[in-house]
Amino acid sequence: MKNQQKYTALAVTLSLGMLLSACQQNSPKTQLTLTGSSTVAPLTSEIAKRFEAKHPGVRIDVQTGGSSRGLADARSRLANIGMVSRNLKGNETGEFQSFAIARDGISIILNTNNPVKILSNEQILNIYQGKIENWKQVGGKDAPITVVNKAEGRSTLELFLGYFKLENSQIKADVVIGDNQQGIKTVAGNPNAIGYVSIGTAEYDIERGVPIQLLPIGGVEASTKTVQNGTFPLSRPLLLVTAKPPSGLTKEFIDFAQSQEVYDIVKQQNFVPIATKNVAKTSVR
Amino acid sequence: MAKKKGVQKSEVRSQKSEVNFLPCSPASPASPSPHLPISPSPPPLSLLPTITVWAIALLVTATFAWIVGDIIWHGAGTISWEFLTTAPKNSGREGGIAPILVATGLILGVCLAVSLPLGIGTAILLAEFTPTDSWFGRLVRRSLDVLAGVPSIVFGLFGNVFFARTLGLGFSILSGGLTLACMVLPILIRSAEEGLRAVPNDYRLAAASLGLSRTTTLWQLLLPAAVPGLLVGLVLGIGRAMAETAALIFTSGYVDRMPQSLFDSGRALSIHIFDLSMNVSGGDTNAYGSALVLVVLLLLINGTAAQIADRWLHKF
């Protein structure tokens, strides 16, 4: 008898769950779901808000979970659009349609009072691993090097480590910082510091007279231009990907995210807008 | 037969705990039992353990004070009426946290609406209708203890697969709340069960001798007496739910729009803090502000629960 009651309770609970799921109505056409890279998500969220403001009744939900999740969800159609913060590799290029909405580039910054104007990749590697500890060793003044590193979890740190094939544990940092602004302030205030920050932010501050200089990487000048055209090595694209050629609202949103209408948002998030074809028409509806 | 055995067992248990039992306050720590042998004079070496214990206690308190102090120091400047009532702008660097507060409240509401009845029901079943050492009771208790120790990210992935996909709820406040309910249930059940078990067996026997039905005994006698224990579980559960990030990022999601219904995705406070401090450069100030709001909310909930428990004890 008692057992029977238990099973009844269980059955009621389960059927409640089923009922809830049945209640769920999905309204297609006016809603888009994007999932993927946590680096791209804040940017896409802002773009989505502007898009929603322009198209009343449209809802765009941005979810995170990492680039791989973005690809997986786009493949399984769980998301209309995936967000990826790296180049597509191997067979991914054939499987997905990708649309770059911005690029993220970082470079080494030094104080303008530092006479060093160029560092080879190997020198940078040695400085960050603590094998070179004095500017004298790389052609500078006789002064100890202050190594500024990013805090764990920052996407710029991942990009830096990935390019130089380093583990974060190998880096001997004197100062650990959180965001770009903090890195720029640290280097601007210390002539012996070396750091790396987002190129967009650094250029913005250099124009406003902050005493820092951007160093080239691998012989390529660090500027929004070289990031924009993809020649700067320490950079990556921020992509929107779809499993099939986009159409309807999906296409409209991707076009909008690539248009000049959102350049200010891209810059605001410290990324570099991509020079695309001049998108005159923004709305197809 | 099994029932009889259960009663005998619980009698034995109640006799054992009689000595240090204070009526109606199951959560109070056991006072030193007079039956325990106490050494006449402590040896001089006992000074060292004393210092160690005090040092550890101080260290724990200092760590807590430091963390809270740091959050208040950095976050107090951000808090304003506007911060609490406007939507985030520019990825949360500017603006407030209104939609995030609403989403957090809704997620918590769903979580409690589901987990409280289920939790208390299971606790009653375990404490009142199942003998302590029956295989069923032991199995349930063991599984609950294992569940209580499961990392939250596992619950998150489970919630994503089961609630968001299989049941088709998608990224929604409902998925998030239900996932949290699964996470909170073990804590809730176990503490509610302890609360019920701490009610002296004499109450049950007295009620039975007066000819009260088991249902009346349960509603009128046992549950009111177990309320402080239930509240402890509730506070622990709310604490775990409010602080949850990993389980929610895959279930309730990341959308910082004001939620219109339970089927909308909504960003919880803890996810907002995580996102501002990890993915948004220049978001640190508002991250501290949000963290301060979260801490204050938790303290308020704890304080209210303590007060209710206190009042209840006096009334009873």
Side-chain angles (χ1 to χ4, degrees):
Chain A
M1 259 260 281
K2 209 164 285 165
N3 266 341
Q4 205 176 352
Q5 279 174 349
K6 264 181 253 165
Y7 289 128
T8 321
L10 194 74
V12 167
T13 320
L14 275 182
S15 49
L16 243 170
M18 294 303 170
L19 226 150
L20 279 175
S21 69
C23 291
Q24 223 266 333
Q25 79 288 33
N26 27 346
S27 42
K29 296 268 158 40
T30 55
Q31 186 180 351
L32 284 184
T33 304
L34 283 80
T35 66
S37 159
S38 58
T39 312
V40 193
L43 171 65
T44 329
S45 283
E46 285 303 308
I47 295 177
K49 274 182 201 164
R50 188 171 289 181
F51 189 79
E52 284 174 345
K54 285 192 68 174
H55 302 81
V58 171
R59 266 188 36 187
I60 297 175
D61 284 0
V62 179
Q63 308 292 354
T64 61
S67 294
S68 332
R69 178 161 206 97
L71 290 170
D73 285 355
R75 182 186 294 126
S76 68
R77 308 285 154 85
L78 238 138
N80 305 80
I81 303 173
M83 300 176 287
V84 180
S85 59
R86 57 170 169 80
N87 280 307
L88 295 185
K89 22 183 193 199
N91 51 359
E92 289 169 0
T93 40
E95 199 183 343
F96 296 99
Q97 308 265 326
S98 71
F99 307 88
I101 53 170
R103 287 190 77 86
D104 182 19
I106 60 168
S107 189
I108 296 287
I109 54 166
L110 301 179
N111 192 290
T112 33
N113 288 329
N114 196 324
V116 176
K117 296 292 169 215
I118 191 159
L119 286 170
S120 70
N121 282 358
E122 209 188 330
Q123 283 170 329
I124 296 171
L125 204 63
N126 284 333
I127 289 174
Y128 267 84
Q129 285 180 295
K131 290 176 189 156
I132 296 179
E133 292 180 318
N134 198 301
W135 284 112
K136 203 170 55 178
Q137 291 166 272
V138 290
K141 292 179 284 193
D142 183 10
I145 300 177
T146 307
V147 175
V148 182
N149 194 31
K150 287 271 179 155
E152 197 82 56
R154 296 279 166 176
S155 53
T156 30
L157 171 72
E158 286 157 33
L159 188 54
F160 183 82
L161 296 177
Y163 177 73
F164 286 105
K165 308 229 165 15
L166 275 171
E167 296 286 331
N168 200 20
S169 53
Q170 292 173 275
I171 290 185
K172 304 260 185 300
D174 300 303
V175 182
V176 175
I177 53 146
D179 57 44
N180 285 317
Q181 277 310 323
Q182 216 180 339
I184 289 171
K185 275 180 207 147
T186 312
V187 175
N190 180 349
N192 300 319
I194 178 169
Y196 57 90
V197 294
S198 225
I199 290 173
T201 327
E203 272 193 343
Y204 178 88
D205 281 2
I206 290 170
E207 275 171 35
R208 268 149 199 79
V210 177
I212 52 165
Q213 50 171 328
L214 274 164
L215 259 54
I217 296 276
V220 183
E221 181 205 3
S223 71
T224 40
K225 201 160 288 158
T226 53
V227 173
Q228 213 161 39
N229 62 27
T231 50
F232 189 74
L234 202 46
S235 75
R236 58 177 171 181
L238 307 182
L239 305 174
L240 298 182
V241 300
T242 55
K244 54 175 191 209
S247 60
L249 192 62
T250 310
K251 182 173 173 11
E252 228 178 293
F253 180 74
I254 291 176
D255 284 345
F256 181 75
Q258 286 185 311
S259 74
Q260 290 182 352
E261 267 184 85
V262 299
Y263 277 15
D264 57 321
I265 299 180
V266 173
K267 284 178 189 158
Q268 216 172 27
Q269 306 290 330
N270 298 320
F271 298 127
V272 178
I274 288 173
T276 40
K277 65 264 175 182
N278 280 338
V279 191
K281 44 122 204 167
T282 45
S283 179
V284 194
R285 301 174 76 151
Chain B
M1 177 64 197
K3 212 168 156 188
K4 205 172 170 189
K5 205 172 146 196
V7 172
Q8 278 169 354
K9 281 283 175 206
S10 49
E11 266 171 6
V12 172
R13 174 169 43 80
S14 89
Q15 271 163 13
K16 258 189 219 160
S17 58
E18 218 168 36
V19 182
N20 53 24
F21 184 75
L22 293 166
C24 314
S25 58
S28 72
S31 49
S33 163
H35 297 304
L36 281 176
I38 298 169
S39 46
S41 63
L45 251 177
S46 74
L47 202 64
L48 192 69
T50 312
I51 293 173
T52 318
V53 166
W54 274 98
I56 291 172
L58 272 178
L59 199 72
V60 170
T61 323
T63 315
F64 174 72
W66 183 35
I67 293 173
V68 173
D70 186 60
I71 290 174
I72 293 176
W73 177 256
H74 286 97
T78 323
I79 307 291
S80 64
W81 181 244
E82 209 192 331
F83 183 70
L84 297 177
T85 51
T86 54
K89 275 185 228 118
N90 191 6
S91 303
R93 291 183 189 88
E94 297 153 36
I97 52 169
I100 286 138
L101 280 179
V102 172
T104 312
L106 288 176
I107 293 169
L108 197 62
V110 170
C111 163
L112 292 182
V114 174
S115 61
L116 268 184
L118 273 180
I120 294 177
T122 316
I124 291 172
L125 175 74
L126 282 178
E128 300 299 323
F129 296 96
T130 318
T132 330
D133 54 355
S134 72
W135 68 268
F136 175 73
R138 265 191 291 181
L139 185 74
V140 173
R141 239 168 265 128
R142 182 66 52 84
S143 357
L144 286 176
D145 289 346
V146 170
L147 270 183
V150 168
S152 53
I153 185 74
V154 178
F155 280 103
L157 293 175
F158 162 76
N160 183 267
V161 170
F162 184 66
F163 295 120
R165 294 187 197 189
T166 311
L167 295 188
L169 297 176
F171 283 98
S172 65
I173 285 169
L174 206 54
S175 305
L178 291 173
T179 309
L180 282 192
C182 296
M183 241 178 82
V184 164
L185 263 178
I187 306 173
L188 216 58
I189 295 173
R190 291 296 267 145
S191 43
E193 190 200 343
E194 289 310 314
L196 281 169
R197 280 189 192 284
V199 178
N201 217 30
D202 301 350
Y203 285 30
R204 295 178 184 89
L205 295 178
S209 70
L210 286 173
L212 296 180
S213 73
R214 290 193 87 167
T215 325
T216 319
T217 315
L218 186 67
W219 282 108
Q220 304 296 329
L221 208 61
L222 300 180
L223 279 181
V227 158
L230 297 178
L231 277 174
V232 169
L234 190 63
V235 165
L236 285 176
I238 291 178
R240 192 164 183 201
M242 289 268 283
E244 192 41 53
T245 314
L248 288 180
I249 206 152
F250 293 125
T251 50
S252 68
Y254 180 79
V255 174
D256 61 0
R257 193 189 303 115
M258 180 65 84
Q260 307 292 327
S261 78
L262 292 183
F263 294 107
D264 278 2
S265 167
R267 194 191 289 191
L269 206 45
S270 48
I271 292 181
H272 191 58
I273 297 168
F274 170 75
D275 189 55
L276 280 182
S277 56
M278 280 309 187
N279 298 327
V280 176
S281 54
D284 286 352
T285 348
N286 273 1
Y288 270 114
S290 314
L292 183 58
V293 172
L294 183 62
V295 170
V296 169
L297 276 179
L298 278 175
L299 290 179
L300 274 180
I301 290 171
N302 278 9
T304 322
Q307 194 129 41
I308 293 175
D310 213 36
R311 283 242 187 110
W312 193 270
L313 280 181
H314 285 295
K315 203 177 89 180
F316 196 59

